[in-house]
Amino acid sequence: MKIALITGITGQDGVYLADFLLKKGYDVYGGFRRLSTPNFWRLKDMEVFDKIKLVPLDLSDQSSMMNFLEKIKPDEIYNLAAQSFVGVSFEQPIHSGDITGLGVTRLIDTIRTLSPKSKFYQASSSEMYGDVGDAVPQDETTVFKPRSPYAAAKTYAHYIVQNYRSAYNLYACSGILFNHESPYRGIEFVTRKITNAVARIKLGLQKELTLGNIDAQRDWGFAGDYVQAMWMMLQQDKPDDYVIATNEAYTVRDFAKKSFEIAGLNYEDYTKTDTKFMRPSDVHLLKGNPQKAKDKMGWEPKVNFNELIKMMVERDIQRWRRYLKGEVFPWDAINAEGWEVTSLPSYRFT
Ligand code: NDP
Ligand code: GDR
């Protein structure tokens, strides 16, 4: 039985990847950071919580990686942990650099020392492209011009992984993944902020939705499709880096319009914008060309833009309906007991 370690197991991609690897027969270890309030709702909802082994592993703490890798030398290590929210990286640039950037060096250097035969996957990001200019769509040859502390940290990590691959001959890959979403997407990211608000407006729990830069264009795919690509990268003869995307871009406005339409509502009646949700510098257009992944690994996205939005809107409506009936407490829709996300307007980065 192959052994896999997934860091960032409590996040969106962590649960999809855990589910995917369990179905392939892997023994899955999930790295999590200790919080005062446990954060396992996604793992429980996906019904993988009881099937994986949880290990405390914080990217700020090299000893936690050493403790694990000394005992267990996994066949595959997927580094999904990060301070992953671009907006907050402007508020916490040093923490973002420490976890999203330097944390990767801590991990890959520990792998080099204690488990050099482990195959390594790094969650690189389309945000690294940043100011793309005329380079549309982006592919593996496009120049990186990061526009946030998050993107700068991911770019540093990307080059560290390339360096360890060539300097130490490690099987280390980076997937340059474009935005991918799902019903398990964190509530602060714009897609889930929209679908959650649409569900609440539909059910009379919320009056309006306030967004920031609705002209920003993104290439949105489905997280379930994208974790398959992560696994495929570690099954190749040689380690390499791949763009994973749909090659279609839509504006935030398009995403919101379609979300309201699916719920039978009119976007114009409920949506406004406020500069408090705008970033000091934003990325205006990301659209990725996944041709290399298709040619070399046979990977293609399966879920399209409209299907993705339908999946998310319907799931959020179902969650809030069940909440109103008193059947469930929607941990996935509420930050903490009694604190609805919408009651935190002071968070300008949401
Ligand atoms: P999430 O924000 O949903 O998950 C991030 C995970 O990292 C969570 O499990 C979080 O734990 C964990 N984490 C945060 N800080 C630390 C730390 N100091 N030590 C250990 N773990 C930590 O992100 P996604 O699942 O969406 O993304 C997975 C990875 O892919 C991230 O690295 C992200 O930057 C990258 N990425 C994501 C894309 C996307 O569109 N989703 C696109 C491109 C790249 P906790 O639950 O405790 O907060
Ligand atoms: P992104 O995702 O920054 O692309 O990073 P996010 O959903 O936060 O923003 C996408 C675009 O929407 C604009 N926007 C808003 N964003 C948020 N969060 N809230 C709003 O109200 C709002 N209004 C408009 C943003 O300005 C931006 O242009 C995600 C993360 O998953 C990263 O970890 C990952 O690397 C990249 O995708 C690829």
Side-chain angles (χ1 to χ4, degrees):
M1 185 188 264
K2 276 193 178 176
I3 299 175
L5 167 68
I6 304 171
T7 71
I9 191 76
T10 54
Q12 169 189 260
D13 291 5
V15 288
Y16 277 103
L17 183 61
D19 186 54
F20 179 87
L21 294 177
L22 286 167
K23 285 176 179 151
K24 290 235 169 259
Y26 279 69
D27 188 9
V28 177
Y29 287 82
F32 74 104
R33 57 176 175 159
R34 191 260 164 193
L35 300 172
S36 64
T37 308
N39 181 23
F40 300 129
W41 67 267
R42 291 186 180 94
L43 291 165
K44 289 186 175 167
D45 202 57
M46 185 76 109
E47 296 182 4
V48 295
F49 184 72
D50 296 327
K51 299 176 190 154
I52 61 166
K53 294 165 186 156
L54 287 167
V55 285
L57 196 154
D58 195 308
L59 286 194
S60 66
D61 185 305
Q62 199 155 4
S63 59
S64 65
M65 304 164 194
M66 291 166 68
N67 289 341
F68 178 78
L69 290 175
E70 260 171 4
K71 290 187 207 105
I72 311 280
K73 300 191 188 310
D75 298 285
E76 296 170 11
I77 298 173
Y78 296 86
N79 181 39
L80 308 186
Q83 189 304 94
S84 70
F85 191 48
V86 176
V88 92
S89 78
F90 289 97
E91 316 281 339
Q92 299 183 348
I94 296 168
H95 175 74
S96 301
D98 187 33
I99 302 307
T100 306
L102 205 52
V104 181
T105 312
R106 290 189 190 99
L107 181 56
I108 199 167
D109 196 60
T110 312
I111 293 169
R112 175 183 73 84
T113 318
L114 296 175
S115 187
K117 290 207 164 46
S118 296
K119 292 181 170 181
F120 179 71
Y121 172 84
Q122 165 60 13
S124 282
S125 165
S126 52
E127 276 294 300
M128 300 187 304
Y129 295 122
D131 188 5
V132 298
D134 296 332
V136 182
Q138 298 86 48
D139 65 19
E140 293 80 0
T141 64
T142 307
V143 176
F144 299 138
K145 294 183 189 166
R147 279 174 67 79
S148 66
Y150 167 84
K154 281 284 181 189
T155 306
Y156 162 76
H158 186 82
Y159 285 130
I160 279 289
V161 172
Q162 285 189 351
N163 178 247
Y164 271 60
R165 181 164 72 211
S166 64
Y168 304 114
N169 211 19
L170 298 185
Y171 191 110
C173 306
S174 293
I176 306 173
L177 270 54
F178 283 62
N179 298 54
H180 46 279
E181 320 294 312
S182 75
Y184 291 124
R185 185 56 141 153
I187 203 91
E188 71 274 55
F189 298 97
V190 76
T191 55
R192 184 79 201 296
K193 179 177 169 180
I194 292 168
T195 61
N196 186 53
V198 165
R200 288 171 51 85
I201 290 169
K202 175 84 181 164
L203 299 175
L205 294 164
Q206 188 172 325
K207 288 200 165 30
E208 60 186 12
L209 166 65
T210 310
L211 296 168
N213 176 13
I214 54 175
D215 294 319
Q217 295 183 59
R218 290 290 184 278
D219 178 333
W220 281 294
F222 171 52
D225 290 344
Y226 286 39
V227 297
Q228 183 196 19
M230 298 175 185
W231 173 79
M232 284 175 151
M233 285 179 219
L234 299 197
Q235 314 311 313
Q236 305 303 307
D237 291 338
K238 284 187 186 161
D240 204 348
D241 303 330
Y242 296 87
V243 160
I244 301 298
T246 70
N247 211 350
E248 284 181 24
Y250 296 89
T251 61
V252 171
R253 187 192 294 101
D254 293 332
F255 192 103
K257 275 191 175 169
K258 181 50 84 179
S259 302
F260 278 100
E261 186 190 309
I262 284 167
L265 300 170
N266 186 10
Y267 159 87
E268 275 83 17
D269 296 340
Y270 301 99
T271 313
K272 59 177 190 172
T273 57
D274 192 317
T275 51
K276 74 180 176 186
F277 292 119
M278 292 186 186
R279 296 169 184 175
S281 60
D282 205 355
V283 174
H284 302 298
L285 166 60
L286 291 175
K287 181 178 172 191
N289 177 0
Q291 196 61 41
K292 178 175 166 186
K294 185 178 179 192
D295 292 345
K296 295 209 167 172
M297 307 194 297
W299 180 86
E300 277 186 287
K302 296 186 192 80
V303 176
N304 71 27
F305 181 69
N306 287 351
E307 290 164 343
L308 173 67
I309 300 177
K310 191 164 184 290
M311 182 197 307
M312 292 176 70
V313 169
E314 287 179 352
R315 189 69 173 277
D316 275 324
I317 291 176
Q318 183 197 47
R319 283 173 175 139
W320 285 106
R321 277 217 172 103
R322 293 189 67 201
Y323 168 73
L324 286 172
K325 282 189 201 158
E327 287 175 10
V328 288
F329 188 79
W331 282 104
D332 43 354
I334 292 180
N335 265 349
E337 192 159 13
W339 277 41
E340 294 185 11
V341 166
T342 49
S343 71
L344 296 172
S346 59
Y347 278 68
R348 80 168 170 82
F349 46 79
T350 58

